[in-house]
Each structure stands twice: as structure tokens, then as C-alpha cells.
Amino acid sequence: MERWVGKIAIVTGASAGIGAEIVKKLAENGVKVVGLARRKEKIDELAKTLGKNSGNVYSLKADISKEEDILSSFEWVKKNLGPISILINNAGVKKNTNLIDGDTQLWKQTLDTNVIGLCVATREAVKNMRANNIDGHIIHINSMAGHRISARLVTNVYPASKFAVTALTETLRQELNSIGSKIKISSISPAAVNTEFRQASSLVEDEKILSKCTNLESADVADAVMYSLSTPPHVQVHDIMIHPI
């Protein structure tokens, strides 16, 4: 991780769970981390727990489903901190609906955050990295739902959004290779993780099922992020799938 010390990372969905754990580990490794979330105050609270590393954490209020929030956040980082070296696309939502008679607005909220917001943030990061000749690293926090569909959990358009992330990872890799870029793109796909994710979306059935299972912890996913970032410049981790035992 030495190559990233003093460099700037943006983490979306940074207020809790996986995002908060990634912010913590990056800051502890000397990275300057800008956390984006609707609950900015949660990132501020996290920073206070990091002691000497608290100065490495910055917080911005942003809704990843809104392009204007993403653009203004990247502009703030550019003007106040400098060029971006790392982007962690962690923000994601899953709504309590279905396909047969589902709520169109809930479908749109899922796709706007999990797919369009991720694409906008990625585009802005690549643009920033290329303008500053930085061989950076972009990591999508995907899901096992991006590789197979559960017959037991609330799914609707959520797995479609994560299958899109799987496709977007490979598509971006090919695009970057075609222009000779050394920017890396990785996807990390965990199974169920113990976070606020399902409670926040009122996914009651998911909670009942997963409470009987062994789940991953946020730190497990953050460790995979650290591993991906710590690989040599010529090594690109394409996808890490994480199952609990």
C-alpha cells in the first residue's frame, strides 16, 4: 500500500457498513479519503474514532443517484485536495418490491444508484486520472447477486443491476486497454454481509432468512479492497468472489 500513501481516494456510500470500513482501512494506510454519502455526519463521526488518522478523512454530502451531486463532489476534490488516484464505487441500494407488479420508482432508484451513479463516478474518476497522468485504481463493490440469482431473497431489479456491474467491469477493462491506459479496474463480489443494508430498505424477508446463515463482515470486504490495491502495477485483480464458511 506504500504507493498510495498521501494519495486521494473517493469512497461512495461511505457512511456505514462496508463503505465505512473501507474508509477506515484506507485512512489507516495513509491515504487521504473523501467519503461521499447522504449521511455526511456519519462519516464525521467515524473520522473522530481514527485518532491520528482522522485528518486523512474528508466528508461530502452526496446522493449517488443524482449526477449533479457526483459532479460537484469531484469538482470539490479537484479544487481543494488534488488529483484522484483511487475510486471505490461502494454505494448501492436494494428496494422492497418485485417484477410482477413492482413499483417503477423503486426500480429506477436501484438502477440510478447501482448502475448509472457508478458509471458517472467512474467516468469522472477516469477523466481526472488521465488528465493528471495517474495510473489509478477503480474498484466496484459488486455482489454475488451479480453472478447468480437467489430464489429465496427479495431480488426484482437488484441482481440485474449487479450483473450490469459485472459487465461494466469487463467493458471498462477493455476500453482502458484499447487506449493503452494503466488504470486498473477491479470488482469485488461478496455474499451476504452483516450491515444496515437490508434494514434500511425494510427487507424483512431477507432479514429472516439471513439471520439463520453465516454472513460476512464489512471488514472481510474491506480486506479484499486492500489486497486489490496492494498488488504490483502489472497485476490487475479482475473479480474477487467472497463466500462465508
Side-chain angles (χ1 to χ4, degrees):
M1 291 293 292
E2 290 82 3
R3 65 183 291 221
W4 304 115
V5 173
K7 304 299 184 181
I8 298 166
I10 291 180
V11 179
T12 69
S15 60
I18 295 169
E21 192 66 30
I22 292 170
V23 168
K24 176 182 175 183
K25 287 186 180 292
L26 285 172
E28 289 173 346
N29 279 277
V31 180
K32 294 180 182 178
V33 191
V34 182
L36 274 53
R38 289 174 295 179
R39 298 182 297 173
K40 174 185 181 297
E41 67 280 1
K42 290 288 186 180
I43 305 172
D44 295 331
E45 292 171 9
L46 171 64
K48 292 176 182 177
T49 69
L50 298 179
K52 65 179 182 179
N53 296 309
S54 61
N56 286 336
V57 178
Y58 304 81
S59 63
L60 294 176
K61 183 177 177 63
D63 183 340
I64 301 304
S65 69
K66 298 178 179 178
E67 182 173 11
E68 59 270 24
D69 282 13
I70 300 172
L71 297 181
S72 63
S73 296
F74 274 78
E75 188 63 23
W76 185 92
V77 174
K78 177 182 176 180
K79 288 182 177 179
N80 293 278
L81 297 177
I84 299 159
S85 294
I86 298 169
L87 170 65
I88 312 295
N89 280 311
N90 170 70
V93 296
K94 182 180 181 184
K95 297 298 182 178
N96 199 16
T97 185
N98 59 21
L99 294 180
I100 295 172
D101 56 3
D103 185 317
T104 305
Q105 290 306 310
L106 295 182
W107 294 343
K108 286 183 176 180
Q109 288 174 29
T110 300
L111 295 172
D112 283 346
T113 298
N114 297 4
V115 181
I116 302 300
L118 175 144
C119 285
V120 172
T122 299
R123 180 191 68 201
E124 296 305 306
V126 170
K127 187 189 305 182
N128 187 286
M129 292 171 186
R130 293 185 69 198
N132 292 283
N133 296 313
I134 291 175
D135 296 337
H137 200 149
I138 297 167
I139 297 179
H140 298 332
I141 303 302
N142 198 343
S143 169
M144 288 305 300
H147 304 275
R148 53 104 176 103
I149 298 172
S150 171
R152 299 188 299 161
L153 303 178
V154 173
T155 53
N156 60 89
V157 298
Y158 180 76
S161 74
K162 291 301 186 178
F163 266 77
V165 173
T166 299
L168 290 167
T169 302
E170 173 60 11
T171 303
L172 182 60
R173 187 188 71 81
Q174 292 186 17
E175 285 193 13
L176 291 170
N177 283 349
S178 73
I179 60 173
S181 173
K182 299 299 183 182
I183 297 171
K184 295 184 185 184
I185 171 66
S186 301
S187 170
I188 295 175
S189 300
V193 183
N194 288 323
T195 68
E196 301 175 8
F197 183 75
R198 287 169 295 279
Q199 299 95 313
S201 298
S202 301
L203 300 172
V204 178
E205 292 306 313
D206 280 17
E207 281 297 297
K208 289 179 180 178
I209 293 169
L210 294 174
S211 65
K212 301 175 184 178
C213 302
T214 300
N215 298 324
L216 298 166
E217 300 296 335
S218 296
D220 302 324
V221 184
D223 285 342
V225 170
M226 297 304 113
Y227 165 71
S228 298
L229 290 171
S230 66
T231 53
H234 69 285
V235 176
Q236 177 161 292
V237 174
H238 188 72
D239 195 358
I240 297 177
M241 297 185 185
I242 312 173
H243 289 278
I245 295 177

